[in-house]
Amino acid sequence: MRDVGGAAQDGLPGWVTLVRAPNPGPMTLDGTNTWVLRAAGAGDAVVIDPGPLDDGHLATIAEHAPVSTILITHGHGDHVAGAAKLSRLLGGAPVRAADPRHCVDGDPLVPGRLTLAGLELEVLATPGHTADSVCFVTDDAVFTGDTILGRGTTVVAHPDGDLGAYLDSLDVLTAYPRILLPGHGPAQEDCAGVARAYLAHRRERLAQVRAAIAEGADSPKAIVDSVYRDIDPKIRFAAEMSARAQLEYLRRESQPGSQQLDSL
């Protein structure tokens, strides 16, 4: 994947611990980042994205007990598959996600402020990578799940992924100049700056897709052949998923009364 991020952030805030899942791969980079949040002086912690159903990983997270709440950024299995078991390991800690299907003994997340274990968090609805994607914002950090990665770019796979919604979500994140703590890859020093870089990359890619269509490309495969010529064969399937989302975005853009982003 093309690297469009900013400078990697070596240090983490003192109230944040990273527990990385042992599931590296072309789509998960170094593995899923599970974040454990504990405010200074607080007894309980909050977990963001317990990750896959891996017993060793879940046991390591559970060592940070007591945990009051488990939060989910979105419903992909590499972020949520271990949630129910982790809840049991932690004595029934509620699991909260935007999609009720991923909640366990907890209410679905809605945009707004949360106070959990002495921490103040804002839930931001950031659909696009998936329909249920959210980010969690504190005074000095943004937990972005897969909406923005620490390295490379995010796949928007139609139909659950929606490129128009994704561009809107990136635009929202340009308002948060603070540490970016992603679902995969290293932390970045400036969420707002990376969001702007992602937007610029998407603008460039859409221009390339429009040009490819003008030259006769009319399918995801043809778009990838024209636009993603150096793609690693291992992730070609992801490029074709992105191409489907791009074609759907441009199809809607061409309709009368379209309200796609003017800058694109």
Side-chain angles (χ1 to χ4, degrees):
M1 290 182 288
R2 177 180 172 185
D3 192 353
V4 297
Q9 178 79 20
D10 293 329
L12 296 176
W15 49 275
V16 175
T17 300
L18 169 60
V19 183
R20 182 173 291 123
N23 62 335
M27 302 299 291
T28 55
L29 304 183
D30 306 313
T32 301
N33 293 336
T34 295
W35 301 104
V36 180
L37 288 53
R38 179 173 270 111
D44 292 351
V46 173
V47 169
I48 295 177
D49 285 349
L53 185 57
D54 179 278
D55 288 345
H57 178 63
L58 298 177
T60 300
I61 300 169
E63 292 174 1
H64 293 269
V67 170
S68 66
T69 308
I70 300 165
L71 299 175
I72 305 297
T73 61
H74 66 292
H76 282 166
D78 59 312
H79 292 256
V80 74
K85 182 166 185 179
L86 180 62
S87 174
R88 294 193 296 272
L89 290 173
L90 293 170
V95 179
R96 301 188 63 185
D99 188 335
R101 293 176 297 177
H102 303 304
C103 294
V104 178
D105 296 328
D107 295 329
L109 294 170
V110 295
R113 304 290 295 185
L114 284 177
T115 301
L116 298 171
L119 292 165
E120 297 288 333
L121 299 96
E122 181 182 3
V123 180
L124 284 182
T126 52
H129 173 67
T130 62
D132 66 336
S133 288
V134 299
C135 294
F136 301 105
V137 180
T138 71
D139 287 342
D140 55 2
V142 185
F143 298 86
T144 57
D146 284 1
T147 298
I148 297 180
L149 305 180
R151 185 173 70 249
T153 57
T154 296
V155 173
V156 177
H158 180 73
D160 187 36
D162 182 281
L163 184 54
Y166 183 65
L167 295 169
D168 289 342
S169 293
L170 291 177
D171 192 52
V172 167
L173 290 171
T174 63
Y176 294 92
R178 55 201 75 177
I179 296 171
L180 185 157
L181 300 177
H184 304 278
Q188 297 286 330
E189 63 184 11
D190 180 11
C191 177
V194 178
R196 288 191 293 271
Y198 263 49
L199 279 169
H201 169 68
R202 296 288 171 168
R203 293 187 183 105
E204 178 185 351
R205 188 66 84 195
L206 279 169
Q208 293 169 342
V209 172
R210 288 191 186 95
I213 292 170
E215 293 174 358
D218 58 358
S219 69
K221 179 181 183 302
I223 293 294
V224 172
D225 288 342
S226 176
V227 175
Y228 298 81
R229 293 175 181 171
D230 297 326
I231 192 74
D232 184 337
K234 294 179 182 177
I235 59 172
R236 182 186 172 91
F237 73 96
E240 291 196 10
M241 289 191 294
S242 292
R244 289 188 186 93
Q246 291 158 350
L247 288 169
E248 175 62 18
Y249 176 88
L250 293 173
R251 183 191 67 78
R252 293 202 309 260
E253 180 188 57
S254 67
Q255 293 176 344
S258 169
Q259 310 226 332
Q260 305 281 24
L261 285 180
D262 293 338
S263 60
L264 300 175

